[in-house]
Each structure stands twice: as structure tokens, then as C-alpha cells.
Amino acid sequence: MAQLGEVFVCKLCGNEVTVTKAGGNPSIHCCGQEMTKKSK
């Protein structure tokens, strides 16, 4: 599950998402595939 403050990026389009509210969804998707956690 994504944690508050984590940033995820789409490998296809470069879209970035910052988690502002942790919830029950175990993964974040964009362009039809799972986004990856951005390394600091």
C-alpha cells in the first residue's frame, strides 16, 4: 500500500503522483500499467 508523501511516476508518460491520503488501494495505475515509486 502507498504511504503518505510517497511519489510515483509513470514509465510511459512521466506523470507523477504524490500520495496525500493513504488508502486501501494497493497500487496506482497510469497508461494501463502500475506506476513505480520514484527514488529520491
Side-chain angles (χ1 to χ4, degrees), residues 25-38:
N25 191 356
S27 61
I28 301 171
H29 289 78
C30 184
C31 296
Q33 63 183 3
E34 190 171 342
M35 296 177 82
T36 57
K37 193 184 323 184
K38 186 175 182 180

Side-chain angles (χ1 to χ4, degrees), residues 4-34:
L4 184 65
E6 287 184 325
V7 178
F8 290 83
V9 64
C10 177
K11 289 183 179 181
L12 292 178
C13 71
N15 188 31
E16 291 187 4
V17 174
T18 302
V19 177
T20 60
K21 182 178 180 184
N25 191 356
S27 61
I28 301 171
H29 289 78
C30 184
C31 296
Q33 63 183 3
E34 190 171 342

